[in-house]
Amino acid sequence: MLKLLERNIRSVDQRLILLAHPDASISGVFKNAATDVERHRELVRDMQRLRGGIYLNDGAVAREQLSPDGLHQTPEDEKSWHLLILGKDRRVSACVWYLEHDNNTVSMDHLRVRHCPLARMDAWRDRLSGAVESEIKKARQDNLRYAEVGGWAVAQESRCTSEGLVLALAAYSLGRILGGALGITTATVRHSSSTILRRLGGAYLEADGMTLPPYYDPNYKCEMELLRFDSRRPDAKYHDVIELLKEKLADVLVIAGRAAAASGVDEWPGQSPLHVFG
């Protein structure tokens, strides 16, 4: 399995694209970076359309929760890095977002987890807050960023491939490229997503010696788990492939959505940047 995964990662730069968040400084970090406002916007919409279709089919959202043209839009989309895998038709077939926070100001009140049903339960509200704030404190002490990861979706035709796993591992790799991070994600039990993330190194949040339990989220109509991760400490079995992905991410196409975010990065000429893949 790992050998097959490694072979897929070695060619991942042919189908993986990274969208930079609006305030990202990408010059000097990524070798193949460009500013293309229109293409960035198109890929975000393509990603939102993919999520909308998948979540609707899974029963995780109702039709009225999507835009009139079927997009699943969230506030995080405008603030995050986006890791996208393109299918043979050059459309987004898998996606995940990665949102960094300012360690000097971030608190639980800034995170999506504040909307978690556990935050409304008397028995778990304070434990959840204490666990999250403890993680943020650890990140500050270790000079790491604090990050959230979400929006993980894989097209039906790609679910028997390694694409979803590659994206989950790439989130660890991106965290390392950006200086290291502690983070949190809400993972659905559906499609064994939370199980996969725990195998990669995700762990349950703990407070007062107690593990925070899974919970039912009425917004997504499924059972969820809160998981923490440390970009420095994935499961040892995946250390080498994460390092390989880190090397590959330095070479993948990175698209910034505005010129101010990519000082020193070339503008693309008239053609779509995807033409570099032939």
Side-chain angles (χ1 to χ4, degrees):
M1 175 62 182
L2 282 176
K3 291 296 184 182
L4 175 61
L5 183 60
E6 184 176 329
R7 286 200 298 271
N8 289 337
I9 288 173
R10 289 192 182 280
S11 62
V12 76
D13 54 332
Q14 299 174 26
R15 61 190 188 280
L16 178 65
I17 285 182
L18 181 61
L19 303 185
H21 75 78
D23 299 317
S25 176
I26 60 178
S27 59
V29 179
F30 300 98
K31 302 173 185 176
N32 187 16
T35 299
D36 188 327
V37 177
E38 185 57 33
R39 189 57 182 153
H40 188 284
R41 185 181 300 115
E42 290 175 357
L43 286 167
V44 168
R45 288 178 61 83
D46 200 15
M47 169 195 71
Q48 293 170 335
R49 185 173 294 106
L50 174 73
R51 288 197 321 229
I54 291 172
Y55 295 172
L56 185 63
N57 289 338
D58 283 347
V61 298
R63 184 64 185 81
E64 57 269 21
Q65 292 175 274
L66 305 178
S67 72
D69 50 349
L71 307 184
H72 179 262
Q73 299 168 313
T74 71
E76 289 75 26
D77 290 342
E78 299 300 321
K79 301 179 289 185
S80 301
W81 294 89
H82 294 280
L83 289 152
L84 309 177
I85 289 183
L86 305 186
K88 293 179 180 178
D89 59 357
R90 313 313 294 167
R91 304 294 297 273
V92 177
S93 63
C95 59
V96 68
W97 54 254
Y98 181 98
L99 176 58
E100 286 188 313
H101 293 280
D102 183 345
N103 272 14
N104 295 320
T105 60
V106 66
S107 70
M108 181 168 159
D109 291 338
H110 299 100
L111 306 177
R112 282 168 54 101
V113 70
R114 71 185 185 277
H115 301 302
C116 169
L118 293 179
R120 298 189 292 273
M121 299 179 185
D122 291 341
W124 293 105
R125 182 186 304 111
D126 291 342
R127 290 190 176 98
L128 172 61
S129 178
V132 172
E133 293 296 343
S134 176
E135 289 289 297
I136 293 172
K137 182 178 179 181
K138 289 178 187 175
R140 289 174 180 149
Q141 290 173 340
D142 291 352
N143 197 29
L144 301 172
R145 305 300 294 270
Y146 195 72
E148 296 178 274
V149 178
W152 192 25
V154 181
Q156 180 67 42
E157 61 272 17
S158 299
R159 288 183 183 174
C160 293
T161 71
S162 63
E163 289 189 359
L165 183 57
V166 167
L167 280 186
L169 293 168
Y172 277 90
S173 302
L174 181 60
R176 292 184 176 193
I177 287 176
L178 299 176
L182 296 184
I184 190 170
T185 187
T186 54
T188 176
V189 175
R190 184 186 287 131
H191 304 309
S192 300
S193 297
S194 59
T195 300
I196 292 170
L197 295 179
R198 281 188 275 109
R199 287 174 180 169
L200 300 185
Y204 293 117
L205 282 174
E206 295 185 356
D208 301 328
M210 300 180 67
T211 298
L212 272 67
Y215 59 90
Y216 179 77
D217 191 328
N219 289 323
Y220 289 99
K221 303 178 183 65
C222 64
E223 190 174 18
M224 306 284 285
E225 295 180 345
L226 276 174
L227 301 177
R228 67 177 296 277
F229 67 91
D230 184 335
S231 68
R232 303 167 301 175
R233 300 185 179 95
D235 185 280
K237 182 167 63 174
Y238 295 99
H239 177 272
D240 289 346
V241 293
I242 287 173
E243 278 298 296
L244 176 59
L245 255 173
K246 179 182 174 182
E247 294 175 12
K248 301 301 288 187
L249 279 180
D251 293 321
V252 303
L253 176 62
V254 181
I255 303 177
R258 66 184 191 193
S263 176
V265 178
D266 293 337
E267 294 280 349
W268 281 96
Q271 77 271 23
S272 162
L274 290 188
H275 288 182
V276 300
F277 297 121

